[in-house]
Amino acid sequence: MKKILFILFVSLICLNVFSQTEETKPVEKKWVAKLNATALIDGFSFPTIQFAVERKLGSYFSVQTEAGIQAYNINRRVADTLSVNTSGFRLMTEGRFYIFKYLKKDQSKTRRADGFYTGIQLFYRKNSYNERQYYYHDEISSENYENRLTDDFGIKKEGYGMSLCIGHQIPFNNFIIEPYTYIGFLKRKIKNFDESYNENLGHVLDDIDNHPTVRDFDDESDSGTLENIAIGIRIGYKF
C-alpha cells in the first residue's frame, strides 16, 4: 500500500512539473499581418496601399497572400482629356520555406538566420491611367516648335507572372521587419485608347518634352514577356 501511495505521489509531482513546463513554454505565433512599405512609393509600376497576411504551416513552411489598391498616380503628366478611369490593384500569393531554420542542428535555439526564407510567388496586377505626349505631323513640321501637337490618351495594363522570392524576416518581440527580393518573369498586355500619335503615318515624337516612360512602357507594342525584378521591405505584427 505504501509503495502504491509513493508511486502515485511521485506521479503527481511529475505531472505537475510537466504541466508547468508546458505552460511556460512559449507558443510560436502562426499569423503575421504586414504592410508593404515599398509599395506605397512604387514608381516603376504603380503605387498601392498593400497588405499581406502570412500563415505558418509548421516550423519551416508558410503561405502568404498579399493584395493592394492603387493609391495615386506618380510621375505622370496631367492629361486634359481623360480616356480611362485611373485605378489599379495587385494580387499575390506565395509559398515559403525557412531553409536555415530547417538546416540548423539544435532546433531548441533561436538564431537570426532562422528568418531567412525562399519560395515561389504567383502574381496578377491590373491598372489604368491617362498620359500626355507631344508629337509632330512629320519630319518637316518637327523643325518648328510651333507645329507641335498634344496627344492625351489612355492606357490599360494587365500582367501576371511568377517569381522566385528571397527574404529575411527579422523579429523584434512581436513586430517584424522583412526585406525581400523577387526575380522572375512577367507576361503583360498593354492597350492604348484615343491615341492620336501613329508612327505608321509618319508622325514624329518630341523626344525633348515627352515623359521618359512614354513609348518605353506605355505603348501597345511593349506587350509581351519580360523579366520581373522587385526589392522592398514589409513591416508587420505576429499574432
Side-chain angles (χ1 to χ4, degrees):
M1 184 68 178
K2 289 182 179 180
K3 290 183 179 180
I4 295 174
L5 289 174
F6 177 74
I7 292 172
L8 287 172
F9 177 72
V10 173
S11 299
L12 287 171
I13 292 175
C14 293
L15 213 69
N16 185 51
V17 171
F18 178 78
S19 177
Q20 288 180 355
T21 304
E22 286 297 309
E23 289 177 1
T24 56
K25 184 180 179 180
V27 178
E28 184 180 7
K29 292 179 170 60
K30 298 295 185 181
W31 296 88
V32 189
K34 310 171 191 177
L35 169 68
N36 193 319
T38 309
L40 291 168
I41 54 172
D42 182 2
F44 292 98
S45 54
F46 54 97
T48 54
I49 301 173
Q50 194 162 302
F51 295 95
V53 176
E54 180 183 3
R55 175 66 163 88
K56 298 294 179 66
L57 304 176
S59 299
Y60 319 120
F61 296 94
S62 72
V63 292
Q64 176 171 286
T65 299
E66 190 167 3
I69 299 176
Q70 184 168 350
Y72 57 92
N73 257 348
I74 189 169
N75 293 333
R76 299 290 180 189
R77 293 182 184 273
V78 179
D80 292 335
T81 302
L82 303 182
S83 301
V84 296
N85 294 323
T86 299
S87 62
F89 67 91
R90 291 193 186 100
L91 294 174
M92 290 145 286
T93 185
E94 64 186 61
R96 294 182 174 185
F97 175 49
Y98 287 84
I99 183 169
F100 289 112
K101 190 174 182 180
Y102 173 78
L103 292 174
K104 71 178 180 180
K105 294 181 179 180
D106 189 349
Q107 293 293 330
S108 65
K109 293 183 179 180
T110 301
R111 304 180 305 175
R112 284 285 183 181
D114 291 349
F116 280 101
Y117 66 86
T118 185
I120 297 294
Q121 182 195 75
L122 302 175
F123 63 88
Y124 175 82
R125 64 195 190 202
K126 187 175 183 179
N127 72 307
S128 58
Y129 55 92
N130 297 279
E131 183 61 274
R132 168 173 288 185
Q133 64 185 358
Y134 300 100
Y135 72 101
Y136 296 93
H137 193 265
D138 50 39
E139 287 285 353
I140 297 176
S141 61
S142 66
E143 298 176 1
N144 188 340
Y145 181 80
E146 294 181 356
N147 294 326
R148 190 176 73 165
L149 303 172
T150 301
D151 184 14
D152 292 340
F153 64 104
I155 302 142
K156 286 187 177 182
K157 293 182 179 180
E158 186 176 16
Y160 60 90
M162 181 172 65
S163 296
L164 170 69
C165 59
I166 303 170
H168 186 200
Q169 194 170 102
I170 307 168
F172 297 93
N173 295 322
N174 288 331
F175 292 93
I176 63 103
I177 295 177
E178 187 178 273
Y180 60 81
T181 300
Y182 292 97
I183 302 174
F185 72 90
L186 164 68
K187 176 75 173 180
R188 69 177 180 183
K189 181 179 180 181
I190 303 174
K191 183 70 175 176
N192 299 141
F193 296 87
D194 302 326
E195 185 178 19
S196 299
Y197 169 80
N198 189 334
E199 184 179 11
N200 295 327
L201 297 178
H203 296 168
V204 179
L205 280 174
D206 183 357
D207 294 328
I208 297 177
D209 287 342
N210 275 327
H211 192 282
T213 62
V214 179
R215 322 316 305 176
D216 292 331
F217 305 106
D218 295 339
D219 191 64
E220 291 182 0
S221 62
D222 295 314
S223 298
T225 303
L226 67 159
E227 68 280 357
N228 181 67
I229 301 174
I231 58 173
I233 189 168
R234 300 182 184 94
I235 56 176
Y237 183 79
K238 297 185 290 183
F239 62 96

